[in-house]
Amino acid sequence: CREAGVRNLQKQIEKIYRKIALQLVRKGALIESSVSSEQSDELKEEGAETSTDSAKSGSTKQDNETAEEAEIIQSDGSADQTDSSLNEPSDTKDVKESEKIEESEVTKSVEKVLVDTSNLPDFVGKPVFHAERIYDRTPVGVVMGLAWTAMGGSTLYIETTNVEQGEGKGALHLTGQLGEVMKESAQIAHTVARGILLEKEPENPFFANSKLHLHVPAGATPKDGPSAGCTMITSLLSLAMKKPVRNDLAMTGEVTLTGKILPIGGVKEKAIAARRSDVKTIIFPSANRRDFDELAPNVKEGLDVHFVDDYSQIFDLAFGYDEKDEK
């Protein structure tokens, strides 16, 4: 139910209620049918017993008529007392039976049905949306970014791999249905990454001698916008230095040729997407601090957010960690 409102959520909850009600009605019908069959069996057995008793008593009835009449005449007064004493236990039996029926009705009325992740597909069907986290541990050259979509926010991966190695073969190939703005961001990221690598590792000729392929899954979804610039730089540097980024890190921000980080849109949607993918650390541009402070506390809860205005700060957050601690 990833939507702006709650109409579809209400429909799904009502669907659960209807199916639970149907289950309870069917269960009650089965119980009633079993109880009625048991009662009919008991009645048949009682009728058979009474018929055999009457047949036995019919043969001795004539012989004992005179004696029975005499006994009845002598015990008229005591018979009334015995009848009243016999009626009392039958009344108490009826009361106990009625109490048992009431108790069973109460237990039926408070019967509960637990709906959790194990049986939720039985009520609402198979999941429509699947987990967006592709990697448990991000490999070298892969970085998680944050994007805004019509259904809210989502996480996307920037993947870079080395296609061919050779002197003077430095080039960049792009795939993933990228728009014109995003293709320009990739070219800017390639230039900025080359400058940063020259500064950090002057003897590393990776970008000058490597033909690279940068891809943004999913390939069937069109993508455009400048906010993946810093993510692309991080992916290129991760491959060049052969060092993966932190597992719980996601970032977003437009980058300039000088390495400055510019503000982006959809802060709320991107923060929710990060929480959905179990991301603990987010990097936002410094200019978006006010947008993040205005979010609800339940959205910001559990997130370690860093606000940056230059890519050098992102470099320290992405690669300045101890690999032993990550393992």
Side-chain angles (χ1 to χ4, degrees), residues 49-210:
E49 289 177 358
T50 53
S51 62
T52 53
D53 292 338
S54 62
K56 290 180 181 178
S57 60
S59 60
T60 57
K61 185 175 182 181
Q62 293 178 354
D63 297 335
N64 296 329
E65 272 183 353
T66 308
E68 286 177 357
E69 288 175 358
E71 289 177 359
I72 288 168
I73 291 168
Q74 291 176 359
S75 59
D76 281 338
S78 61
D80 296 333
Q81 296 176 356
T82 55
D83 289 337
S84 61
S85 62
L86 288 170
N87 288 331
E88 288 179 359
S90 64
D91 294 337
T92 56
K93 287 180 181 178
D94 295 337
V95 171
K96 289 180 179 179
E97 289 177 358
S98 62
E99 288 177 353
K100 288 180 180 178
I101 293 170
E102 290 176 358
E103 288 177 359
S104 63
E105 290 178 353
V106 170
T107 55
K108 286 181 182 178
S109 63
V110 299
E111 185 176 356
K112 296 180 181 179
V113 178
L114 178 63
V115 180
D116 55 12
T117 53
S118 63
N119 61 356
L120 184 61
D122 298 334
F123 293 99
V124 296
K126 295 181 179 180
V128 179
F129 302 99
H130 300 281
E132 297 174 346
R133 195 178 185 93
I134 303 174
Y135 303 100
D136 294 330
R137 293 184 62 85
T138 51
V140 172
V142 177
V143 182
M144 181 187 289
L146 299 172
W148 179 91
T149 64
M151 296 291 289
S154 65
T155 56
L156 57 83
Y157 286 91
I158 307 293
E159 301 177 339
T160 307
T161 186
N162 189 2
V163 178
E164 188 179 357
Q165 193 80 19
E167 188 174 354
K169 291 190 176 182
L172 180 64
H173 179 61
L174 305 175
T175 56
Q177 278 209 61
L178 307 183
E180 292 298 325
V181 176
M182 205 165 183
K183 287 179 180 178
E184 291 179 354
S185 295
Q187 296 296 334
I188 294 170
H190 191 224
T191 302
V192 175
R194 293 184 72 162
I196 293 173
L197 184 66
L198 184 63
E199 179 185 350
K200 300 292 182 180
E201 300 179 4
E203 298 179 357
N204 190 346
F206 178 80
F207 288 112
N209 300 330
S210 301

